[in-house]
C-alpha cells in the first residue's frame, strides 16, 4: 500500500470540506463529478485522477450512491450522499433533513 502524497492529502481535505459545506450549510445532499474535478484541479490533480481518488474515498470520508446520466461518457456524474451515515460519524447533526 502506498502512502498518500501531499497532493492526495490536500485533495482529501478539500473534498471533505466541500462535502461538509454542502451538507451543513447548503443542505445539499449531492455533489457532481464536475465539482469533484474542480476540487481536484485546485488540489493539483488531473480531472481523471480526482474522479478516481474521490470514488476511492467512499466509506472513508463519504458514503452514498453514484449515478450517471444515460448519455454520459463517464462512469458517474453525481453522488447522492447517505445523510444518516454522516450523522453516525458525527459530521451532520441528528435530525437534519
Amino acid at each position: 500500500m502506498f502512502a498518500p502524497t501531499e497532493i492526495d492529502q490536500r485533495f482529501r481535505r478539500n473534498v471533505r470540506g466541500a462535502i461538509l459545506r454542502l451538507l451543513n450549510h447548503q443542505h445539499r445532499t449531492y455533489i457532481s463529478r464536475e465539482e469533484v474535478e474542480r476540487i481536484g484541479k485546485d488540489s493539483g490533480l488531473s480531472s481523471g485522477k480526482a474522479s478516481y481518488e474521490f470514488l476511492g474515498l467512499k466509506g472513508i470520508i463519504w458514503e452514498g450512491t453514484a449515478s450517471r446520466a444515460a448519455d454520459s461518457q463517464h462512469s458517474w456524474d453525481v453522488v447522492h450522499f447517505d445523510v444518516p451515515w454522516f450523522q453516525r460519524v458525527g459530521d451532520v447533526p441528528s435530525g437534519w433533513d
Side-chain angles (χ1 to χ4, degrees):
M1 178 168 246
F2 296 101
T5 67
E6 183 178 328
I7 290 172
D8 293 335
Q9 290 174 352
R10 183 180 319 128
F11 175 69
R12 181 179 176 155
R13 280 190 312 270
N14 291 346
V15 165
R16 184 172 188 275
I19 290 170
L20 295 180
R21 279 189 300 280
L22 289 171
L23 290 170
N24 289 308
H25 299 291
Q26 297 178 20
H27 289 259
R28 199 174 96 196
T29 60
Y30 64 90
I31 192 167
S32 70
R33 184 184 43 76
E34 290 85 5
E35 289 171 293
V36 169
E37 289 175 349
R38 194 171 323 115
I39 295 166
K41 182 179 177 186
D42 292 345
S43 302
L45 296 176
S46 70
S47 60
K49 175 86 170 163
S51 177
Y52 175 80
E53 291 296 322
F54 175 76
L55 293 177
L57 294 172
K58 181 178 182 180
I60 299 169
I61 66 166
W62 68 270
E63 187 59 60
T65 305
S67 62
R68 70 187 280 270
D71 61 347
S72 177
Q73 63 185 16
H74 303 284
S75 61
W76 69 280
D77 293 301
V78 175
V79 164
H80 295 272
F81 298 123
D82 177 2
V83 174
W85 182 87
F86 286 93
Q87 290 171 328
R88 284 191 300 276
V89 298
D91 286 338
V92 173
S94 299
W96 181 93
D97 295 9

